[in-house]
Amino acid sequence: MAEFIDANGKAWTVKITGGDVAKVGSALGIDLGNPSQAFAKVLGFTPALINVLFHLARDPNDRRPTNPERFADGFGAATIEAGTAALEVALTDFFQGTRIGADFSRILQATKEIETERQSQAAEAWAKFDPRELVKSLKNSSGNWADKQELTHGR
């Protein structure tokens, strides 16, 4: 089951029905019937993710949230991550056993493999990072930067 807990400690279940597909499509212009495209639209755009979850989430008593601002106030970085995971599970569950579901699963797997590789590359680069080399590079590339005692922003 697709669940997440918001920053206020409130538990939400995410479940998709045919009616939800129509409602989200009509209200937000996001076609949950095309899960790969829908997931791509919300993945990098937090307001879209929160809006989709607002339309899909139910509390433990099967009640939907009624106030979008109050619902959004429950989102911090951890909730965004957990909500994204819950949406992924809900989409996978909705399309279980279909060609669309199989395609979506393959796309998710490939995306996760790419993300894992990029995280590994970033960790390797960070491990090699030497701030002294950065300062030396900046001094060599910028005319009089080395003569200034502090960095200024916007000047």
Side-chain angles (χ1 to χ4, degrees):
M1 183 172 295
E3 299 176 326
F4 69 96
I5 297 174
D6 69 19
N8 298 322
K10 186 161 181 143
W12 296 99
T13 300
V14 180
K15 182 181 174 191
I16 299 172
T17 67
D20 293 325
V21 172
K23 182 171 55 173
V24 168
S26 176
L28 304 175
I30 295 175
D31 181 9
L32 295 179
N34 183 338
S36 301
Q37 183 183 36
F39 201 67
K41 282 186 177 184
V42 302
L43 197 54
F45 189 55
T46 302
L49 171 69
I50 294 171
N51 281 324
V52 167
L53 290 173
F54 174 76
H55 287 283
L56 300 177
R58 295 172 175 91
D59 70 11
N61 296 317
D62 205 32
R63 291 184 303 232
R64 295 186 184 269
T66 57
N67 183 305
E69 290 79 19
R70 195 171 305 137
F71 182 74
D73 285 343
F75 279 76
T79 308
I80 291 166
E81 191 172 282
T84 300
L87 178 59
E88 176 186 323
V89 170
L91 284 166
T92 302
D93 288 350
F94 182 73
F95 288 100
Q96 186 71 33
T98 67
R99 182 189 53 77
I100 293 172
D103 291 346
F104 182 57
S105 292
R106 281 193 296 278
I107 290 169
L108 284 175
Q109 183 59 39
T111 301
K112 288 176 183 179
E113 289 170 5
I114 291 167
E115 183 178 335
T116 299
E117 177 63 25
R118 288 195 175 154
Q119 287 173 345
S120 175
Q121 290 171 349
E124 287 175 23
W126 185 249
K128 295 176 185 176
F129 176 70
D130 182 354
R132 295 174 299 229
E133 289 297 317
L134 176 62
V135 170
K136 186 167 46 170
S137 175
L138 288 171
K139 285 181 179 178
N140 292 335
S141 67
S142 179
N144 60 5
W145 178 85
D147 297 334
K148 295 186 178 185
Q149 295 297 314
E150 63 183 70
L151 293 176
T152 56
H153 182 68
R155 292 192 207 173

